[in-house]
Amino acid sequence: MSCIKKYSLFLAGMLIISVIGCKPKNLGTAVSGDAAAKSFVAPGKFDEYYNFVSGGFSGQMSVYGLPSGRLLKVVPIFSVNPENGYGYSEETKPMLNTSHGFVPWDDQHHLDLSQTDGAIDGRWIFANANNTPRVARVDLTTFHTAEILELPNSAGNHSSPFITENTEYVVAGTRFSVPPDDKNGDVPINTYKQNFKGTISFISVDKTNGNMDIAFQLQCPAVNFDLSHAGKGVSSGWFFFSCYNTEQANTLLEVNASKRDKDFIMAVNWKQAAELIKAGKGRKQSVKYASNRYDEATHSATSTIKTEVTVMDVKDFPGLVYFIPCPKSPHGCDVNPTGEYIVGSGKLAALIPVFSFAKIQQAIADKAFEGEYEGIPVIKYDAALYGEVKKPGLGPLHTEFDDKGNAYTTMFVSSEVVKWNLKELKVLDRVPTYYSPGHLMIPGGDSKKPTGKYLVAYNKITKDRYLPTGPELAQSAQLFDISGDKMQLILDYPTIGEPHYAQAVEASVIRDKSVKFFKIESNNHPYASKGEGATKVVREGNKIHVYMTAIRSHLTPDNIEGIRLGDEVYFHVTNIEQDWDVPHGFAIKGATTGELLIMPGETATLKWIPDAVGIFPFYCTDFCSALHQEMSGYARVSAPNSLQPLSFSTGSNMPASDSIPAK
């Protein structure tokens, strides 16, 4: 039997074990009434934590309350959203622009909350787009996507976005090595070793407004970068990445990228890299990438195509990068709160290696290398190793930390979360999950200040947990109380799929900063109507601009005539409410760009190209008052050669026989 067939049979067996054979025996330990009380949040009461969860193939981010598990909001980032018109309105379409054009949907895997001195500060959360490589910044005062930056020289932006401890940089590693953008990419795929490169992007973040730009990129050997975390405390100034496919395979990776006994953790001295860039090192490279920003003053986004980045080839700068052997196919790469321990997770290993930053530094000083890989020194495994957690479970993936010196790791194959002590490397507890957990989350669990109260496991397989909904089931999230010596399952709830990484922070860090409405006097949208007296309809050639207001419970204007077939009509709707939680919607029959949802004090634009002569109703789509159904109007479309003059009104275009007599 060939090695490929043998390995395929092994993988098939492991899969059966993971989704069928490892169904936990102690089902009686699932949520009891006693435990469920710990997750109960009374009606009208607030949750303790905001929990931000990546959307995976939805391209969105969902926000849950903990411990209730209540869904609070879905934030569109890399996908158009018919609920609020994101990606449909003229103001937000530029957010989804790329060098490839408009990309309406992407794969969003990881999130990272901004930090100050290694502690979550609640200003922003960063998100990655995996397919068309991009990094986004969401403003947590508005929960709006504020910025999206495309990444050149990248493919499969999976190892992203991970931040330094003062949010100096957002760091993104390419999952797939590819030929650099300024090289001829029309090369045989099997010349991977000769022509492909892996790229790490360091994105600067403005301390005051959060604006991002690519500070520099590191060109690395052709491997697959999986996940990463910044050093902190004693390891401040360094970054650590898990790497696989050190075999440099380009086909059937399940076999050909799993041949070596060990792959690598890559350690990067990012402070040295920043100093080299400041000194003028690196080369300017011609590229093409989009930088998209949303302005809350104008309620509009702009997209700029940029054409240059600074790139350093890491092999040309000794001391910048080192490889550390790690059991094969590592996935997670996690740094404990002190920054001393770096935990690797070899998916195909039956142990968890823990590396010591102090030992890594000593090994570098002693030149304790076992050789080089593509010109990069490889530190001896034992020289960097603090120790190994023996037999923790099958398929270790991700690790987070509590405030008591403990680590928690998900075991994908054996469907469990394992708690172990960092100093002694001993397993302390294990609990079953239902089933095959990927990521896990402890509030602050990858920061300097983790909490030790809750843990959420995000499971990939859901079978038999909820009512069946055809072949596709929602993913399962399971909340554990970890405040005691033993972990206790207290809540089981479905999530918007597919969650990968998640983060949580105390509600008080964000709650009181939240914007409740936009001040109408600060609305600088070029087509804003700051009162009903400012509304109008203007023709500019074949373009018609409708300056409209919305307030409970009418639209102004609500009768428009003189539109001709062939016109482009832009409804610029300003919600002139100045009260919290009173959005208005707008839609018109036949519009192909979806509807709008306009927040109080905000202006949004719907583009409509009528395709027939006739009367077209428009209306508010968000139930805003007892007379919401009456909040509507009509647009009349005439023939292209019609002499019908352009006119608009609200309340005055009454039939003579039905006029309301004056009192």
Side-chain angles (χ1 to χ4, degrees), residues 18-19 23 412 415 433-437 457-478 492-495 497-499:
S18 69
V19 301
K23 183 172 180 177
F412 181 81
S415 288
T433 61
Y434 308 88
Y435 309 93
S436 300
Y458 296 95
N459 306 324
K460 301 301 183 185
I461 308 297
T462 312
K463 59 175 59 183
D464 77 28
R465 299 307 293 172
Y466 313 124
L467 288 171
T469 54
E472 184 184 10
L473 304 175
Q475 278 72 34
S476 166
Q478 294 183 307
D492 185 329
Y493 58 99
T495 65
E498 174 209 359

Side-chain angles (χ1 to χ4, degrees), residues 10-27:
F10 166 76
L11 288 178
M14 294 293 276
L15 181 61
I16 291 169
I17 291 171
S18 69
V19 301
I20 300 175
C22 277
K23 183 172 180 177
K25 296 178 181 178
N26 54 338
L27 291 178

Side-chain angles (χ1 to χ4, degrees), residues 542-557:
N542 73 324
K543 294 182 179 179
I544 292 177
H545 294 278
V546 180
Y547 295 69
M548 179 177 283
T549 60
I551 194 169
R552 288 166 288 185
S553 296
H554 62 275
L555 298 162
T556 303

Side-chain angles (χ1 to χ4, degrees), residues 38-102:
K38 294 183 178 182
S39 67
F40 178 71
V41 178
K45 299 296 183 182
F46 292 150
D47 280 283
E48 297 174 58
Y49 295 92
Y50 286 99
N51 182 203
F52 301 93
V53 183
S54 66
F57 43 68
S58 76
Q60 304 172 135
M61 175 180 75
S62 50
V63 186
Y64 296 84
L66 290 181
S68 73
R70 297 182 293 205
L71 177 64
L72 304 177
K73 189 175 181 66
V74 175
V75 180
I77 302 176
F78 298 109
S79 62
V80 295
N81 186 20
E83 180 184 359
N84 61 9
Y86 178 83
Y88 292 104
S89 71
E90 297 304 298
E91 288 80 4
T92 57
K93 284 180 182 178
M95 293 299 290
L96 298 176
N97 186 45
T98 73
S99 62
H100 305 278
F102 184 79

Side-chain angles (χ1 to χ4, degrees), residues 269-506:
N269 187 336
W270 69 259
K271 282 198 173 178
Q272 180 182 337
E275 290 168 0
L276 289 168
I277 291 294
K278 189 176 180 180
K281 304 297 182 181
R283 64 181 177 87
K284 301 294 184 184
Q285 179 187 347
S286 294
V287 292
K288 186 179 180 183
Y289 65 100
S291 173
N292 310 328
R293 289 176 180 165
Y294 187 83
D295 184 343
E296 293 289 5
T298 62
H299 305 295
S300 302
T302 56
S303 179
T304 304
I305 297 295
K306 298 193 173 184
T307 57
E308 186 179 81
V309 290
T310 301
V311 179
M312 292 193 298
D313 192 324
V314 297
K315 72 177 185 300
D316 296 334
F317 299 91
L320 191 61
V321 171
Y322 298 91
F323 284 125
I324 305 164
C326 185
K328 66 168 63 179
S329 300
H331 189 47
C333 180
D334 302 286
V335 181
N336 84 306
T338 69
E340 172 58 23
Y341 301 112
I342 300 98
V343 180
S345 294
K347 300 193 295 291
L348 303 181
L351 56 82
I352 300 173
V354 180
F355 301 100
S356 161
F357 182 73
K359 293 189 71 173
I360 291 169
Q361 294 304 297
Q362 189 62 50
I364 292 170
D366 295 343
K367 299 189 184 303
F369 306 136
E370 63 178 40
E372 291 186 347
Y373 180 88
E374 300 282 321
I376 307 301
V378 179
I379 297 172
K380 292 179 179 178
Y381 180 69
D382 289 338
L385 187 70
Y386 172 73
E388 296 172 339
V389 183
K390 303 293 187 180
K391 298 181 180 179
L394 297 177
L397 290 187
H398 299 284
T399 300
E400 293 225 340
F401 308 92
D402 67 16
D403 57 348
K404 304 175 187 68
N406 301 312
Y408 300 75
T409 302
T410 50
M411 300 292 164
F412 181 81
V413 177
S414 53
S415 288
E416 58 187 333
V417 173
V418 174
K419 175 183 178 180
W420 50 279
N421 182 268
L422 263 169
K423 290 289 180 68
E424 298 178 359
L425 304 179
K426 291 183 178 179
V427 172
L428 303 175
D429 189 26
R430 59 178 74 240
V431 291
T433 61
Y434 308 88
Y435 309 93
S436 300
H439 285 275
L440 76 165
M441 186 284 304
I442 294 172
D446 68 348
S447 72
K448 277 186 178 180
K449 296 182 178 181
T451 64
K453 192 168 185 180
Y454 299 119
L455 179 153
V456 182
Y458 296 95
N459 306 324
K460 301 301 183 185
I461 308 297
T462 312
K463 59 175 59 183
D464 77 28
R465 299 307 293 172
Y466 313 124
L467 288 171
T469 54
E472 184 184 10
L473 304 175
Q475 278 72 34
S476 166
Q478 294 183 307
L479 177 67
F480 295 85
D481 178 351
I482 60 170
S483 60
D485 292 337
K486 298 293 184 180
M487 296 177 279
Q488 182 185 29
L489 178 62
I490 62 174
L491 185 65
D492 185 329
Y493 58 99
T495 65
I496 292 175
E498 174 209 359
H500 287 259
Y501 202 56
Q503 292 206 319
V505 64
E506 292 90 344

Side-chain angles (χ1 to χ4, degrees), residues 114-150:
S114 59
Q115 296 182 5
T116 300
D117 192 26
I120 296 170
D121 58 30
R123 293 178 294 168
W124 311 299
I125 190 165
F126 300 91
N128 72 324
N130 203 12
N131 184 23
T132 301
R134 289 169 287 172
V135 168
R137 175 175 57 87
V138 176
D139 186 335
L140 293 180
T141 62
T142 60
F143 285 69
H144 286 175
T145 302
E147 188 171 13
I148 295 179
L149 183 68
E150 189 180 3

